Amino acid sequence: VNVRPDDDKVYRHYDVLLPVQEQVAVLSWAAGRDLLAGVRTVVPPFAALARVQDKISAQQTLAEHDLPQPPTTVVRRLAGLVTWDRFPVYAKLPVGTASAGVVRIGSAAELPAAIAKLTAWGAFEDRASGVVVQDEVPGPLLMVQAVFDAGRLVALHACERVCEGLGGGASHKRSVAAGRLRPLFERLGGALGWHGALSADVV
């Protein structure tokens, strides 16, 4: 990464560099190595980001801080998924966006096709890979956005998925009260010393 804050051609016309997607990983890494001196940006510490950036790390982080999540199993070997017998579940690659890398398995009959898809996506290729298998939890889906200042929650907003869109996303959303979620986000953000934006899906 070669970041040059003194290059007027790059930075002259911008007040704030604000990452809103996966590019936060690069900027967080660069900020931790003093490569963004002079650039106004807001990013979490890279160590904190690594605790939630992939689904396996996020599952461990939620468990460590006693935050609710669906019954979850990290399956490291293909054999562990071949013999799976509890349905319905969602099997998820550690990293994926926009519902990519996620497959719903409704019954044992659907298991072979799901395994073929996960394998084609690269699951179980090495010891660090695997899949996260989570029980299906009924209920409305909320998409929650929070903003933290060095571990202190300063803003929180939630919207409900009213209509499901392509790939499981939302074609229609409605803002809802997020007060009951505040203590959970305060606990997570405070424990991680989070700085900047943090989003999560909540059932």
Side-chain angles (χ1 to χ4, degrees), residues 127-144:
R127 293 180 179 229
S129 64
V131 295
V132 174
V133 182
Q134 293 185 316
D135 286 15
E136 185 174 76
V137 176
L141 175 66
L142 304 183
M143 289 151 283
V144 187

